[in-house]
Amino acid sequence: MQKRSNFHFTYPINIGELDLATMVSMYRSRGEPHKSMPGEYLCCALSHELLKEGKFWFGLYYSQKIWDELITKGSEGYPITETEFRVLGLVYISEDEPPHREYVECHSQVVDKLSYLIVNDLRGFGFLVEDESGYLRITPRGERALHGIARRIYGKRFLPEMIDHTPKAEVPKIEVAQRKHQDQGNLFI
C-alpha cells in the first residue's frame, strides 16, 4: 500500500548498535525537554529553527510546535513510530486468536532489545494488555492510536495490508572453519 506521509517519529536506522543500557536510557528519555547550555543553541530536526529548549528524540531535538504536530490523533501524547504501528497492527488483525508476545516482537522488524521495550511501553500506556501466558490483545485506546497513525501515514483507517508480516531479518551466522590436525613439522624450531 502506498504511503502518503513520512511525517512521524522514526527510530535511528542503526539503533541496534547501541548497548542495552544506552538504548534504554535514550528510549526512556525521549520526549523530555532539554535546555541548551548558556550561550549555545539546539536545532529543531525538522524546522531547522534554533532553540534554547527542545524535546529530545534519540539525539535529535524538536521544537514543542513540531513535536505536537508529530503526535498523532488517538495516541494521547505517546510518540508512535512505524514500529509501534506494526506491533499494534499485528495484535489488531489477530483478534480471534491473540498473538503471543514473542511472535509480535519477532515480527516488529527491529532489534530484540527495542521490540521488548516497545511492547512493554504499549502495555504500560494501556494500548495493549498481556495475559499471564504472554498473549496480547489491543485495547480501545490502542485501536484509536493505531487508526490515528494509519491516517497519518496512509490517509485512512488501518487495514491489514498496511503492515508487512515478515519477521525481521536474521543476523547471518558465520561458521568457523574447523582446523584439521595434521602431523606437520614446526618450521620455527
Side-chain angles (χ1 to χ4, degrees):
M1 183 166 268
Q2 184 73 26
K3 291 182 182 179
R4 289 188 155 184
S5 172
N6 284 322
F7 189 70
H8 54 81
F9 293 100
T10 58
Y11 293 112
I13 59 173
N14 61 342
I15 195 166
E17 295 176 13
L18 297 176
D19 61 84
L20 182 59
T22 304
M23 185 183 297
V24 169
S25 174
M26 291 180 89
Y27 186 81
R28 292 289 172 231
S29 62
R30 70 200 195 288
E32 289 181 358
H34 284 205
K35 290 188 178 190
S36 63
M37 298 296 292
E40 294 181 10
Y41 288 88
L42 305 174
C43 183
C44 178
L46 291 178
S47 72
H48 304 290
E49 294 175 87
L50 292 175
L51 311 167
K52 287 303 247 174
E53 183 176 317
K55 294 265 191 151
F56 179 76
W57 179 269
F58 294 92
L60 299 175
Y61 296 95
Y62 295 101
S63 68
Q64 185 65 53
K65 179 182 179 291
I66 297 293
W67 184 271
D68 292 343
E69 290 174 10
L70 284 167
I71 297 292
T72 54
K73 186 177 180 181
S75 70
E76 300 178 20
Y78 186 91
I80 296 182
T81 70
E82 285 190 68
T83 304
E84 284 85 357
F85 171 69
R86 192 173 300 106
V87 167
L88 290 169
L90 285 168
V91 177
Y92 181 79
I93 64 174
S94 303
E95 277 301 301
D96 297 337
E97 187 176 312
H100 196 270
R101 178 188 181 115
E102 288 179 12
Y103 172 84
V104 172
E105 288 177 1
C106 180
H107 287 77
S108 67
Q109 296 183 342
V110 292
V111 295
D112 295 337
K113 301 177 274 191
L114 183 58
S115 62
Y116 180 81
L117 291 171
I118 289 170
V119 171
N120 280 351
D121 243 23
L122 291 174
R123 277 184 33 230
F125 278 82
F127 296 136
L128 296 175
V129 290
E130 182 177 7
D131 67 17
E132 60 280 347
S133 300
Y135 291 96
L136 299 169
R137 291 192 185 275
I138 194 166
T139 66
R141 291 176 74 186
E143 287 184 32
R144 285 190 297 276
L146 175 63
H147 293 306
I149 188 70
R151 280 191 184 98
R152 171 69 57 88
I153 297 172
Y154 295 100
K156 57 178 90 172
R157 289 175 58 91
F158 175 78
L159 298 169
E161 53 268 16
M162 291 176 178
I163 58 172
D164 182 9
H165 303 295
T166 57
K168 62 183 167 258
E170 292 290 323
V171 177
K173 302 239 193 265
I174 299 172
E175 289 185 37
V176 178
Q178 295 297 320
R179 197 173 203 185
K180 292 182 181 178
H181 295 289
Q182 296 177 352
D183 290 335
Q184 183 175 5
N186 189 345
L187 300 174
F188 301 102
I189 300 182

Short mmCIF file of all heavy atoms in Angstrom, two decimals, residues 24-49:
data_model
loop_
_atom_site.label_atom_id
_atom_site.label_comp_id
_atom_site.label_asym_id
_atom_site.label_seq_id
_atom_site.Cartn_x
_atom_site.Cartn_y
_atom_site.Cartn_z
N VAL A 24 18.15 1.80 26.47
CA VAL A 24 17.10 2.01 27.47
C VAL A 24 17.10 3.46 27.93
O VAL A 24 16.05 4.09 28.04
CB VAL A 24 17.26 1.03 28.66
CG1 VAL A 24 16.34 1.41 29.81
CG2 VAL A 24 16.99 -0.39 28.21
N SER A 25 18.28 4.01 28.18
CA SER A 25 18.37 5.41 28.62
C SER A 25 17.80 6.36 27.58
O SER A 25 17.01 7.26 27.91
CB SER A 25 19.84 5.74 28.91
OG SER A 25 19.97 7.11 29.19
N MET A 26 18.17 6.19 26.32
CA MET A 26 17.65 7.06 25.27
C MET A 26 16.16 6.85 25.05
O MET A 26 15.41 7.80 24.82
CB MET A 26 18.41 6.82 23.96
CG MET A 26 19.85 7.30 24.01
SD MET A 26 20.72 7.02 22.46
CE MET A 26 20.34 8.55 21.62
N TYR A 27 15.71 5.60 25.15
CA TYR A 27 14.29 5.29 24.96
C TYR A 27 13.46 5.93 26.07
O TYR A 27 12.42 6.51 25.81
CB TYR A 27 14.10 3.77 24.95
CG TYR A 27 12.69 3.34 24.62
CD1 TYR A 27 12.27 3.31 23.29
CD2 TYR A 27 11.80 2.99 25.62
CE1 TYR A 27 10.97 2.92 22.98
CE2 TYR A 27 10.51 2.61 25.31
CZ TYR A 27 10.10 2.57 23.99
OH TYR A 27 8.81 2.20 23.69
N ARG A 28 13.94 5.83 27.29
CA ARG A 28 13.20 6.38 28.43
C ARG A 28 13.21 7.91 28.45
O ARG A 28 12.31 8.52 29.00
CB ARG A 28 13.76 5.84 29.75
CG ARG A 28 13.52 4.37 29.93
CD ARG A 28 12.06 4.09 30.20
NE ARG A 28 11.81 2.67 30.19
CZ ARG A 28 10.85 2.09 29.48
NH1 ARG A 28 10.06 2.80 28.73
NH2 ARG A 28 10.69 0.80 29.51
N SER A 29 14.22 8.53 27.86
CA SER A 29 14.30 10.00 27.91
C SER A 29 13.72 10.67 26.67
O SER A 29 13.78 11.89 26.55
CB SER A 29 15.74 10.44 28.13
OG SER A 29 16.56 10.04 27.07
N ARG A 30 13.13 9.88 25.76
CA ARG A 30 12.52 10.51 24.58
C ARG A 30 11.35 11.39 25.02
O ARG A 30 10.59 11.05 25.90
CB ARG A 30 12.08 9.45 23.57
CG ARG A 30 10.91 8.62 23.99
CD ARG A 30 10.84 7.32 23.19
NE ARG A 30 9.56 6.66 23.30
CZ ARG A 30 9.13 6.03 24.38
NH1 ARG A 30 9.88 5.98 25.46
NH2 ARG A 30 7.94 5.46 24.40
N GLY A 31 11.27 12.53 24.42
CA GLY A 31 10.20 13.48 24.76
C GLY A 31 10.51 14.41 25.90
O GLY A 31 9.77 15.35 26.16
N GLU A 32 11.62 14.18 26.59
CA GLU A 32 11.97 15.07 27.70
C GLU A 32 12.50 16.39 27.14
O GLU A 32 13.26 16.40 26.17
CB GLU A 32 13.05 14.44 28.59
CG GLU A 32 12.55 13.30 29.41
CD GLU A 32 13.63 12.70 30.30
OE1 GLU A 32 14.80 13.17 30.25
OE2 GLU A 32 13.30 11.77 31.04
N PRO A 33 12.15 17.50 27.77
CA PRO A 33 12.71 18.78 27.32
C PRO A 33 14.17 18.90 27.75
O PRO A 33 14.52 18.57 28.87
CB PRO A 33 11.83 19.82 28.01
CG PRO A 33 11.15 19.12 29.12
CD PRO A 33 11.16 17.65 28.82
N HIS A 34 15.01 19.33 26.84
CA HIS A 34 16.42 19.58 27.11
C HIS A 34 16.69 21.05 26.86
O HIS A 34 16.27 21.59 25.84
CB HIS A 34 17.32 18.75 26.20
CG HIS A 34 17.41 17.31 26.59
ND1 HIS A 34 18.49 16.55 26.27
CD2 HIS A 34 16.58 16.49 27.28
CE1 HIS A 34 18.32 15.32 26.73
NE2 HIS A 34 17.16 15.27 27.33
N LYS A 35 17.41 21.67 27.78
CA LYS A 35 17.80 23.07 27.61
C LYS A 35 19.23 23.12 27.08
O LYS A 35 20.06 22.30 27.45
CB LYS A 35 17.71 23.82 28.93
CG LYS A 35 16.29 24.02 29.40
CD LYS A 35 16.22 24.90 30.60
CE LYS A 35 14.75 25.08 30.97
NZ LYS A 35 14.57 26.10 31.97
N SER A 36 19.48 24.11 26.25
CA SER A 36 20.83 24.27 25.74
C SER A 36 21.72 24.89 26.82
O SER A 36 21.24 25.51 27.76
CB SER A 36 20.82 25.16 24.49
OG SER A 36 20.37 26.45 24.82
N MET A 37 23.00 24.72 26.66
CA MET A 37 23.97 25.31 27.58
C MET A 37 23.94 26.84 27.36
O MET A 37 23.60 27.29 26.27
CB MET A 37 25.36 24.77 27.30
CG MET A 37 25.50 23.27 27.49
SD MET A 37 25.23 22.74 29.18
CE MET A 37 26.67 23.44 29.95
N PRO A 38 24.30 27.61 28.38
CA PRO A 38 24.33 29.07 28.20
C PRO A 38 25.22 29.46 27.02
O PRO A 38 26.32 28.96 26.86
CB PRO A 38 24.92 29.58 29.52
CG PRO A 38 24.61 28.51 30.51
CD PRO A 38 24.65 27.21 29.74
N GLY A 39 24.69 30.33 26.17
CA GLY A 39 25.42 30.78 25.00
C GLY A 39 25.37 29.83 23.82
O GLY A 39 25.95 30.10 22.77
N GLU A 40 24.70 28.68 23.97
CA GLU A 40 24.58 27.71 22.88
C GLU A 40 23.11 27.51 22.53
O GLU A 40 22.23 27.93 23.27
CB GLU A 40 25.20 26.37 23.30
CG GLU A 40 26.69 26.45 23.51
CD GLU A 40 27.30 25.10 23.89
OE1 GLU A 40 26.60 24.08 23.81
OE2 GLU A 40 28.47 25.09 24.27
N TYR A 41 22.88 26.85 21.40
CA TYR A 41 21.52 26.59 20.94
C TYR A 41 21.39 25.15 20.49
O TYR A 41 22.37 24.51 20.12
CB TYR A 41 21.17 27.51 19.76
CG TYR A 41 20.98 28.95 20.16
CD1 TYR A 41 22.05 29.83 20.20
CD2 TYR A 41 19.72 29.42 20.51
CE1 TYR A 41 21.89 31.15 20.56
CE2 TYR A 41 19.54 30.74 20.88
CZ TYR A 41 20.62 31.59 20.91
OH TYR A 41 20.43 32.90 21.29
N LEU A 42 20.17 24.67 20.49
CA LEU A 42 19.82 23.39 19.88
C LEU A 42 19.15 23.72 18.55
O LEU A 42 18.72 24.85 18.33
CB LEU A 42 18.83 22.62 20.77
CG LEU A 42 19.24 22.37 22.22
CD1 LEU A 42 18.10 21.74 23.00
CD2 LEU A 42 20.47 21.49 22.27
N CYS A 43 19.04 22.74 17.68
CA CYS A 43 18.38 22.98 16.39
C CYS A 43 17.27 21.95 16.21
O CYS A 43 17.48 20.76 16.46
CB CYS A 43 19.39 22.86 15.25
SG CYS A 43 18.69 23.23 13.65
N CYS A 44 16.10 22.41 15.80
CA CYS A 44 14.98 21.51 15.55
C CYS A 44 15.30 20.67 14.31
O CYS A 44 15.69 21.20 13.27
CB CYS A 44 13.68 22.30 15.34
SG CYS A 44 12.26 21.25 14.97
N ALA A 45 15.13 19.37 14.42
CA ALA A 45 15.48 18.44 13.35
C ALA A 45 14.63 18.63 12.09
O ALA A 45 15.08 18.32 11.00
CB ALA A 45 15.36 17.00 13.84
N LEU A 46 13.41 19.16 12.23
CA LEU A 46 12.55 19.33 11.06
C LEU A 46 12.44 20.78 10.58
O LEU A 46 12.55 21.05 9.41
CB LEU A 46 11.16 18.77 11.33
CG LEU A 46 11.08 17.26 11.46
CD1 LEU A 46 9.68 16.80 11.77
CD2 LEU A 46 11.56 16.60 10.17
N SER A 47 12.21 21.69 11.50
CA SER A 47 12.05 23.10 11.09
C SER A 47 13.39 23.81 10.94
O SER A 47 13.45 24.87 10.32
CB SER A 47 11.19 23.84 12.10
OG SER A 47 11.91 24.04 13.31
N HIS A 48 14.44 23.25 11.50
CA HIS A 48 15.79 23.81 11.48
C HIS A 48 15.88 25.16 12.18
O HIS A 48 16.78 25.95 11.89
CB HIS A 48 16.34 23.88 10.05
CG HIS A 48 16.32 22.56 9.36
ND1 HIS A 48 17.14 21.51 9.71
CD2 HIS A 48 15.53 22.09 8.37
CE1 HIS A 48 16.88 20.47 8.97
NE2 HIS A 48 15.90 20.78 8.14
N GLU A 49 14.95 25.41 13.09
CA GLU A 49 14.99 26.62 13.91
C GLU A 49 15.96 26.41 15.06
O GLU A 49 16.06 25.31 15.60
CB GLU A 49 13.62 26.92 14.51
CG GLU A 49 12.55 27.27 13.53
CD GLU A 49 11.22 27.41 14.24
OE1 GLU A 49 10.94 28.52 14.73
OE2 GLU A 49 10.49 26.41 14.32
#
